[in-house]
Each structure stands twice: as structure tokens, then as C-alpha cells.
PDB file of all heavy atoms in Angstrom:
ATOM      1  N   GLN A 587      93.447  93.499 105.117  1.00  0.00           N
ATOM      2  CA  GLN A 587      93.671  92.464 106.120  1.00  0.00           C
ATOM      3  C   GLN A 587      92.519  92.391 107.124  1.00  0.00           C
ATOM      4  O   GLN A 587      92.279  91.343 107.732  1.00  0.00           O
ATOM      5  CB  GLN A 587      94.980  92.749 106.870  1.00  0.00           C
ATOM      6  CG  GLN A 587      96.238  92.673 106.018  1.00  0.00           C
ATOM      7  CD  GLN A 587      96.621  91.246 105.684  1.00  0.00           C
ATOM      8  OE1 GLN A 587      96.475  90.347 106.497  1.00  0.00           O
ATOM      9  NE2 GLN A 587      97.109  91.052 104.476  1.00  0.00           N
ATOM     10  N   LEU A 588      91.817  93.496 107.275  1.00  0.00           N
ATOM     11  CA  LEU A 588      90.692  93.523 108.224  1.00  0.00           C
ATOM     12  C   LEU A 588      89.487  92.756 107.693  1.00  0.00           C
ATOM     13  O   LEU A 588      88.556  92.469 108.449  1.00  0.00           O
ATOM     14  CB  LEU A 588      90.287  94.978 108.513  1.00  0.00           C
ATOM     15  CG  LEU A 588      91.383  95.891 109.083  1.00  0.00           C
ATOM     16  CD1 LEU A 588      90.868  97.322 109.202  1.00  0.00           C
ATOM     17  CD2 LEU A 588      91.854  95.378 110.437  1.00  0.00           C
ATOM     18  N   PHE A 589      89.505  92.461 106.390  1.00  0.00           N
ATOM     19  CA  PHE A 589      88.344  91.803 105.766  1.00  0.00           C
ATOM     20  C   PHE A 589      88.713  90.455 105.169  1.00  0.00           C
ATOM     21  O   PHE A 589      88.163  90.049 104.145  1.00  0.00           O
ATOM     22  CB  PHE A 589      87.770  92.712 104.673  1.00  0.00           C
ATOM     23  CG  PHE A 589      87.357  94.070 105.150  1.00  0.00           C
ATOM     24  CD1 PHE A 589      88.194  95.166 104.961  1.00  0.00           C
ATOM     25  CD2 PHE A 589      86.150  94.258 105.816  1.00  0.00           C
ATOM     26  CE1 PHE A 589      87.825  96.419 105.410  1.00  0.00           C
ATOM     27  CE2 PHE A 589      85.774  95.506 106.269  1.00  0.00           C
ATOM     28  CZ  PHE A 589      86.612  96.600 106.068  1.00  0.00           C
ATOM     29  N   LEU A 590      89.651  89.761 105.814  1.00  0.00           N
ATOM     30  CA  LEU A 590      90.087  88.467 105.295  1.00  0.00           C
ATOM     31  C   LEU A 590      88.944  87.452 105.215  1.00  0.00           C
ATOM     32  O   LEU A 590      88.943  86.572 104.356  1.00  0.00           O
ATOM     33  CB  LEU A 590      91.208  87.903 106.177  1.00  0.00           C
ATOM     34  CG  LEU A 590      92.611  88.457 105.901  1.00  0.00           C
ATOM     35  CD1 LEU A 590      93.582  87.991 106.969  1.00  0.00           C
ATOM     36  CD2 LEU A 590      93.097  88.024 104.526  1.00  0.00           C
ATOM     37  N   LYS A 591      87.974  87.577 106.096  1.00  0.00           N
ATOM     38  CA  LYS A 591      86.850  86.638 106.098  1.00  0.00           C
ATOM     39  C   LYS A 591      85.802  86.983 105.035  1.00  0.00           C
ATOM     40  O   LYS A 591      84.902  86.195 104.780  1.00  0.00           O
ATOM     41  CB  LYS A 591      86.195  86.593 107.481  1.00  0.00           C
ATOM     42  CG  LYS A 591      86.963  85.742 108.481  1.00  0.00           C
ATOM     43  CD  LYS A 591      86.100  85.397 109.671  1.00  0.00           C
ATOM     44  CE  LYS A 591      86.751  84.317 110.522  1.00  0.00           C
ATOM     45  NZ  LYS A 591      85.888  83.866 111.623  1.00  0.00           N
ATOM     46  N   ASN A 592      85.937  88.175 104.456  1.00  0.00           N
ATOM     47  CA  ASN A 592      85.026  88.585 103.383  1.00  0.00           C
ATOM     48  C   ASN A 592      85.826  88.626 102.083  1.00  0.00           C
ATOM     49  O   ASN A 592      86.524  89.594 101.821  1.00  0.00           O
ATOM     50  CB  ASN A 592      84.436  89.961 103.680  1.00  0.00           C
ATOM     51  CG  ASN A 592      83.350  90.358 102.684  1.00  0.00           C
ATOM     52  OD1 ASN A 592      83.460  90.083 101.500  1.00  0.00           O
ATOM     53  ND2 ASN A 592      82.310  91.009 103.183  1.00  0.00           N
ATOM     54  N   PRO A 593      85.749  87.575 101.265  1.00  0.00           N
ATOM     55  CA  PRO A 593      86.607  87.490 100.072  1.00  0.00           C
ATOM     56  C   PRO A 593      86.401  88.634  99.088  1.00  0.00           C
ATOM     57  O   PRO A 593      87.337  89.025  98.378  1.00  0.00           O
ATOM     58  CB  PRO A 593      86.220  86.145  99.452  1.00  0.00           C
ATOM     59  CG  PRO A 593      84.869  85.837  99.996  1.00  0.00           C
ATOM     60  CD  PRO A 593      84.847  86.420 101.377  1.00  0.00           C
ATOM     61  N   TYR A 594      85.202  89.193  99.045  1.00  0.00           N
ATOM     62  CA  TYR A 594      84.922  90.255  98.074  1.00  0.00           C
ATOM     63  C   TYR A 594      85.561  91.575  98.485  1.00  0.00           C
ATOM     64  O   TYR A 594      86.172  92.264  97.662  1.00  0.00           O
ATOM     65  CB  TYR A 594      83.410  90.400  97.899  1.00  0.00           C
ATOM     66  CG  TYR A 594      82.759  89.118  97.441  1.00  0.00           C
ATOM     67  CD1 TYR A 594      81.977  88.359  98.311  1.00  0.00           C
ATOM     68  CD2 TYR A 594      82.956  88.639  96.141  1.00  0.00           C
ATOM     69  CE1 TYR A 594      81.403  87.164  97.900  1.00  0.00           C
ATOM     70  CE2 TYR A 594      82.383  87.455  95.722  1.00  0.00           C
ATOM     71  CZ  TYR A 594      81.614  86.717  96.599  1.00  0.00           C
ATOM     72  OH  TYR A 594      81.059  85.541  96.197  1.00  0.00           O
ATOM     73  N   LEU A 595      85.432  91.933  99.755  1.00  0.00           N
ATOM     74  CA  LEU A 595      86.066  93.157 100.232  1.00  0.00           C
ATOM     75  C   LEU A 595      87.589  93.018 100.229  1.00  0.00           C
ATOM     76  O   LEU A 595      88.315  93.948  99.867  1.00  0.00           O
ATOM     77  CB  LEU A 595      85.579  93.500 101.639  1.00  0.00           C
ATOM     78  CG  LEU A 595      84.176  94.107 101.754  1.00  0.00           C
ATOM     79  CD1 LEU A 595      83.797  94.313 103.213  1.00  0.00           C
ATOM     80  CD2 LEU A 595      84.112  95.434 101.003  1.00  0.00           C
ATOM     81  N   PHE A 596      88.061  91.845 100.632  1.00  0.00           N
ATOM     82  CA  PHE A 596      89.495  91.591 100.634  1.00  0.00           C
ATOM     83  C   PHE A 596      90.055  91.718  99.216  1.00  0.00           C
ATOM     84  O   PHE A 596      91.106  92.335  98.987  1.00  0.00           O
ATOM     85  CB  PHE A 596      89.777  90.198 101.186  1.00  0.00           C
ATOM     86  CG  PHE A 596      91.233  89.827 101.207  1.00  0.00           C
ATOM     87  CD1 PHE A 596      92.167  90.615 101.855  1.00  0.00           C
ATOM     88  CD2 PHE A 596      91.682  88.678 100.560  1.00  0.00           C
ATOM     89  CE1 PHE A 596      93.520  90.281 101.874  1.00  0.00           C
ATOM     90  CE2 PHE A 596      93.028  88.328 100.579  1.00  0.00           C
ATOM     91  CZ  PHE A 596      93.941  89.137 101.238  1.00  0.00           C
ATOM     92  N   SER A 597      89.357  91.176  98.232  1.00  0.00           N
ATOM     93  CA  SER A 597      89.777  91.250  96.839  1.00  0.00           C
ATOM     94  C   SER A 597      89.742  92.688  96.334  1.00  0.00           C
ATOM     95  O   SER A 597      90.608  93.103  95.549  1.00  0.00           O
ATOM     96  CB  SER A 597      88.875  90.378  95.959  1.00  0.00           C
ATOM     97  OG  SER A 597      89.001  89.011  96.303  1.00  0.00           O
ATOM     98  N   LEU A 598      88.755  93.458  96.774  1.00  0.00           N
ATOM     99  CA  LEU A 598      88.637  94.851  96.344  1.00  0.00           C
ATOM    100  C   LEU A 598      89.846  95.672  96.777  1.00  0.00           C
ATOM    101  O   LEU A 598      90.429  96.413  95.975  1.00  0.00           O
ATOM    102  CB  LEU A 598      87.356  95.462  96.915  1.00  0.00           C
ATOM    103  CG  LEU A 598      87.103  96.939  96.581  1.00  0.00           C
ATOM    104  CD1 LEU A 598      86.931  97.108  95.072  1.00  0.00           C
ATOM    105  CD2 LEU A 598      85.883  97.457  97.327  1.00  0.00           C
ATOM    106  N   PHE A 599      90.247  95.528  98.037  1.00  0.00           N
ATOM    107  CA  PHE A 599      91.410  96.268  98.527  1.00  0.00           C
ATOM    108  C   PHE A 599      92.702  95.730  97.914  1.00  0.00           C
ATOM    109  O   PHE A 599      93.646  96.488  97.680  1.00  0.00           O
ATOM    110  CB  PHE A 599      91.465  96.200 100.054  1.00  0.00           C
ATOM    111  CG  PHE A 599      90.479  97.113 100.734  1.00  0.00           C
ATOM    112  CD1 PHE A 599      89.312  96.614 101.296  1.00  0.00           C
ATOM    113  CD2 PHE A 599      90.715  98.476 100.797  1.00  0.00           C
ATOM    114  CE1 PHE A 599      88.398  97.455 101.910  1.00  0.00           C
ATOM    115  CE2 PHE A 599      89.811  99.329 101.408  1.00  0.00           C
ATOM    116  CZ  PHE A 599      88.654  98.816 101.965  1.00  0.00           C
ATOM    117  N   SER A 600      92.746  94.428  97.645  1.00  0.00           N
ATOM    118  CA  SER A 600      93.915  93.848  96.979  1.00  0.00           C
ATOM    119  C   SER A 600      94.039  94.399  95.565  1.00  0.00           C
ATOM    120  O   SER A 600      95.147  94.679  95.083  1.00  0.00           O
ATOM    121  CB  SER A 600      93.795  92.321  96.926  1.00  0.00           C
ATOM    122  OG  SER A 600      93.786  91.771  98.225  1.00  0.00           O
ATOM    123  N   LEU A 601      92.897  94.555  94.897  1.00  0.00           N
ATOM    124  CA  LEU A 601      92.880  95.119  93.546  1.00  0.00           C
ATOM    125  C   LEU A 601      93.478  96.521  93.540  1.00  0.00           C
ATOM    126  O   LEU A 601      94.334  96.846  92.710  1.00  0.00           O
ATOM    127  CB  LEU A 601      91.445  95.159  93.022  1.00  0.00           C
ATOM    128  CG  LEU A 601      91.203  95.900  91.702  1.00  0.00           C
ATOM    129  CD1 LEU A 601      91.908  95.173  90.562  1.00  0.00           C
ATOM    130  CD2 LEU A 601      89.710  96.020  91.421  1.00  0.00           C
ATOM    131  N   LEU A 602      93.057  97.341  94.475  1.00  0.00           N
ATOM    132  CA  LEU A 602      93.569  98.708  94.570  1.00  0.00           C
ATOM    133  C   LEU A 602      95.067  98.706  94.849  1.00  0.00           C
ATOM    134  O   LEU A 602      95.819  99.505  94.284  1.00  0.00           O
ATOM    135  CB  LEU A 602      92.825  99.463  95.678  1.00  0.00           C
ATOM    136  CG  LEU A 602      93.200 100.929  95.877  1.00  0.00           C
ATOM    137  CD1 LEU A 602      92.999 101.714  94.587  1.00  0.00           C
ATOM    138  CD2 LEU A 602      92.381 101.540  97.012  1.00  0.00           C
ATOM    139  N   SER A 603      95.500  97.796  95.700  1.00  0.00           N
ATOM    140  CA  SER A 603      96.920  97.698  96.034  1.00  0.00           C
ATOM    141  C   SER A 603      97.751  97.338  94.807  1.00  0.00           C
ATOM    142  O   SER A 603      98.812  97.931  94.565  1.00  0.00           O
ATOM    143  CB  SER A 603      97.130  96.648  97.133  1.00  0.00           C
ATOM    144  OG  SER A 603      98.493  96.506  97.444  1.00  0.00           O
ATOM    145  N   TYR A 604      97.272  96.390  94.007  1.00  0.00           N
ATOM    146  CA  TYR A 604      98.012  95.985  92.811  1.00  0.00           C
ATOM    147  C   TYR A 604      98.052  97.093  91.768  1.00  0.00           C
ATOM    148  O   TYR A 604      99.052  97.272  91.068  1.00  0.00           O
ATOM    149  CB  TYR A 604      97.398  94.718  92.209  1.00  0.00           C
ATOM    150  CG  TYR A 604      97.896  93.453  92.851  1.00  0.00           C
ATOM    151  CD1 TYR A 604      97.124  92.764  93.783  1.00  0.00           C
ATOM    152  CD2 TYR A 604      99.151  92.934  92.533  1.00  0.00           C
ATOM    153  CE1 TYR A 604      97.581  91.597  94.385  1.00  0.00           C
ATOM    154  CE2 TYR A 604      99.623  91.773  93.120  1.00  0.00           C
ATOM    155  CZ  TYR A 604      98.834  91.108  94.043  1.00  0.00           C
ATOM    156  OH  TYR A 604      99.300  89.961  94.636  1.00  0.00           O
ATOM    157  N   ILE A 605      96.969  97.849  91.650  1.00  0.00           N
ATOM    158  CA  ILE A 605      96.953  98.963  90.692  1.00  0.00           C
ATOM    159  C   ILE A 605      97.979 100.018  91.090  1.00  0.00           C
ATOM    160  O   ILE A 605      98.720 100.545  90.253  1.00  0.00           O
ATOM    161  CB  ILE A 605      95.544  99.587  90.607  1.00  0.00           C
ATOM    162  CG1 ILE A 605      94.565  98.596  89.978  1.00  0.00           C
ATOM    163  CG2 ILE A 605      95.576 100.886  89.805  1.00  0.00           C
ATOM    164  CD1 ILE A 605      93.128  99.074  89.960  1.00  0.00           C
ATOM    165  N   ILE A 606      98.057 100.319  92.377  1.00  0.00           N
ATOM    166  CA  ILE A 606      99.032 101.304  92.856  1.00  0.00           C
ATOM    167  C   ILE A 606     100.455 100.821  92.591  1.00  0.00           C
ATOM    168  O   ILE A 606     101.320 101.596  92.162  1.00  0.00           O
ATOM    169  CB  ILE A 606      98.827 101.574  94.362  1.00  0.00           C
ATOM    170  CG1 ILE A 606      97.498 102.296  94.585  1.00  0.00           C
ATOM    171  CG2 ILE A 606      99.981 102.408  94.925  1.00  0.00           C
ATOM    172  CD1 ILE A 606      97.116 102.463  96.041  1.00  0.00           C
ATOM    173  N   GLN A 607     100.708  99.537  92.832  1.00  0.00           N
ATOM    174  CA  GLN A 607     102.035  98.990  92.570  1.00  0.00           C
ATOM    175  C   GLN A 607     102.402  99.097  91.088  1.00  0.00           C
ATOM    176  O   GLN A 607     103.573  99.297  90.737  1.00  0.00           O
ATOM    177  CB  GLN A 607     102.100  97.535  93.007  1.00  0.00           C
ATOM    178  CG  GLN A 607     102.054  97.330  94.512  1.00  0.00           C
ATOM    179  CD  GLN A 607     102.048  95.864  94.900  1.00  0.00           C
ATOM    180  OE1 GLN A 607     102.803  95.073  94.344  1.00  0.00           O
ATOM    181  NE2 GLN A 607     101.198  95.490  95.836  1.00  0.00           N
ATOM    182  N   SER A 608     101.400  98.989  90.221  1.00  0.00           N
ATOM    183  CA  SER A 608     101.651  99.072  88.783  1.00  0.00           C
ATOM    184  C   SER A 608     102.076 100.472  88.355  1.00  0.00           C
ATOM    185  O   SER A 608     102.608 100.650  87.250  1.00  0.00           O
ATOM    186  CB  SER A 608     100.390  98.662  88.003  1.00  0.00           C
ATOM    187  OG  SER A 608     100.040  97.328  88.283  1.00  0.00           O
ATOM    188  N   PHE A 609     101.836 101.463  89.201  1.00  0.00           N
ATOM    189  CA  PHE A 609     102.208 102.830  88.852  1.00  0.00           C
ATOM    190  C   PHE A 609     103.724 102.993  88.704  1.00  0.00           C
ATOM    191  O   PHE A 609     104.200 103.991  88.171  1.00  0.00           O
ATOM    192  CB  PHE A 609     101.677 103.812  89.901  1.00  0.00           C
ATOM    193  CG  PHE A 609     100.207 104.129  89.741  1.00  0.00           C
ATOM    194  CD1 PHE A 609      99.465 103.515  88.753  1.00  0.00           C
ATOM    195  CD2 PHE A 609      99.593 105.031  90.571  1.00  0.00           C
ATOM    196  CE1 PHE A 609      98.111 103.790  88.595  1.00  0.00           C
ATOM    197  CE2 PHE A 609      98.234 105.322  90.419  1.00  0.00           C
ATOM    198  CZ  PHE A 609      97.495 104.690  89.425  1.00  0.00           C
ATOM    199  N   THR A 610     104.490 102.010  89.179  1.00  0.00           N
ATOM    200  CA  THR A 610     105.947 102.072  88.958  1.00  0.00           C
ATOM    201  C   THR A 610     106.263 102.063  87.461  1.00  0.00           C
ATOM    202  O   THR A 610     107.288 102.605  87.041  1.00  0.00           O
ATOM    203  CB  THR A 610     106.663 100.881  89.622  1.00  0.00           C
ATOM    204  OG1 THR A 610     106.104  99.647  89.124  1.00  0.00           O
ATOM    205  CG2 THR A 610     106.503 100.924  91.139  1.00  0.00           C
ATOM    206  N   MET A 611     105.367 101.460  86.660  1.00  0.00           N
ATOM    207  CA  MET A 611     105.598 101.414  85.219  1.00  0.00           C
ATOM    208  C   MET A 611     105.534 102.810  84.610  1.00  0.00           C
ATOM    209  O   MET A 611     106.206 103.084  83.604  1.00  0.00           O
ATOM    210  CB  MET A 611     104.569 100.489  84.560  1.00  0.00           C
ATOM    211  CG  MET A 611     104.716 100.359  83.055  1.00  0.00           C
ATOM    212  SD  MET A 611     106.369  99.865  82.467  1.00  0.00           S
ATOM    213  CE  MET A 611     106.511  98.237  83.175  1.00  0.00           C
ATOM    214  N   ILE A 612     104.759 103.708  85.194  1.00  0.00           N
ATOM    215  CA  ILE A 612     104.682 105.071  84.671  1.00  0.00           C
ATOM    216  C   ILE A 612     106.026 105.756  84.833  1.00  0.00           C
ATOM    217  O   ILE A 612     106.579 106.316  83.875  1.00  0.00           O
ATOM    218  CB  ILE A 612     103.574 105.869  85.403  1.00  0.00           C
ATOM    219  CG1 ILE A 612     102.228 105.159  85.261  1.00  0.00           C
ATOM    220  CG2 ILE A 612     103.495 107.303  84.862  1.00  0.00           C
ATOM    221  CD1 ILE A 612     101.122 105.777  86.094  1.00  0.00           C
ATOM    222  N   ALA A 613     106.580 105.691  86.041  1.00  0.00           N
ATOM    223  CA  ALA A 613     107.890 106.290  86.296  1.00  0.00           C
ATOM    224  C   ALA A 613     108.968 105.597  85.474  1.00  0.00           C
ATOM    225  O   ALA A 613     109.875 106.250  84.941  1.00  0.00           O
ATOM    226  CB  ALA A 613     108.222 106.212  87.782  1.00  0.00           C
ATOM    227  N   SER A 614     108.874 104.272  85.353  1.00  0.00           N
ATOM    228  CA  SER A 614     109.872 103.523  84.593  1.00  0.00           C
ATOM    229  C   SER A 614     109.856 103.904  83.112  1.00  0.00           C
ATOM    230  O   SER A 614     110.903 103.962  82.465  1.00  0.00           O
ATOM    231  CB  SER A 614     109.627 102.014  84.733  1.00  0.00           C
ATOM    232  OG  SER A 614     109.849 101.591  86.065  1.00  0.00           O
ATOM    233  N   THR A 615     108.660 104.163  82.576  1.00  0.00           N
ATOM    234  CA  THR A 615     108.564 104.546  81.172  1.00  0.00           C
ATOM    235  C   THR A 615     109.129 105.942  80.938  1.00  0.00           C
ATOM    236  O   THR A 615     109.832 106.183  79.953  1.00  0.00           O
ATOM    237  CB  THR A 615     107.098 104.484  80.692  1.00  0.00           C
ATOM    238  OG1 THR A 615     106.565 103.184  80.952  1.00  0.00           O
ATOM    239  CG2 THR A 615     107.016 104.766  79.197  1.00  0.00           C
ATOM    240  N   VAL A 616     108.826 106.867  81.835  1.00  0.00           N
ATOM    241  CA  VAL A 616     109.414 108.203  81.756  1.00  0.00           C
ATOM    242  C   VAL A 616     110.939 108.091  81.796  1.00  0.00           C
ATOM    243  O   VAL A 616     111.656 108.722  81.007  1.00  0.00           O
ATOM    244  CB  VAL A 616     108.917 109.099  82.916  1.00  0.00           C
ATOM    245  CG1 VAL A 616     109.653 110.441  82.917  1.00  0.00           C
ATOM    246  CG2 VAL A 616     107.416 109.327  82.816  1.00  0.00           C
ATOM    247  N   PHE A 617     111.430 107.282  82.706  1.00  0.00           N
ATOM    248  CA  PHE A 617     112.866 107.060  82.873  1.00  0.00           C
ATOM    249  C   PHE A 617     113.464 106.445  81.613  1.00  0.00           C
ATOM    250  O   PHE A 617     114.521 106.871  81.121  1.00  0.00           O
ATOM    251  CB  PHE A 617     113.082 106.159  84.088  1.00  0.00           C
ATOM    252  CG  PHE A 617     114.505 106.012  84.526  1.00  0.00           C
ATOM    253  CD1 PHE A 617     115.438 107.029  84.351  1.00  0.00           C
ATOM    254  CD2 PHE A 617     114.927 104.838  85.145  1.00  0.00           C
ATOM    255  CE1 PHE A 617     116.755 106.881  84.765  1.00  0.00           C
ATOM    256  CE2 PHE A 617     116.240 104.683  85.562  1.00  0.00           C
ATOM    257  CZ  PHE A 617     117.155 105.706  85.368  1.00  0.00           C
TER     258      PHE A 617
END
């Protein structure tokens, strides 16, 4: 959110956020 005016940095942190959210699939698969 601190880099909203910089689309590249904003996208980079958004990318990391989405990857972390995807980690729910690891737990879901184990389950």
C-alpha cells in the first residue's frame, strides 16, 4: 500500500501476498 504510485513495486508485494494465500492449498491437500 505504501507503493501504490509505483505499479511495479506494488505488483511485487501483491505477488508475494497472493503466493502466501495460496499456501492454504498445502494444508488443504494434507487434510
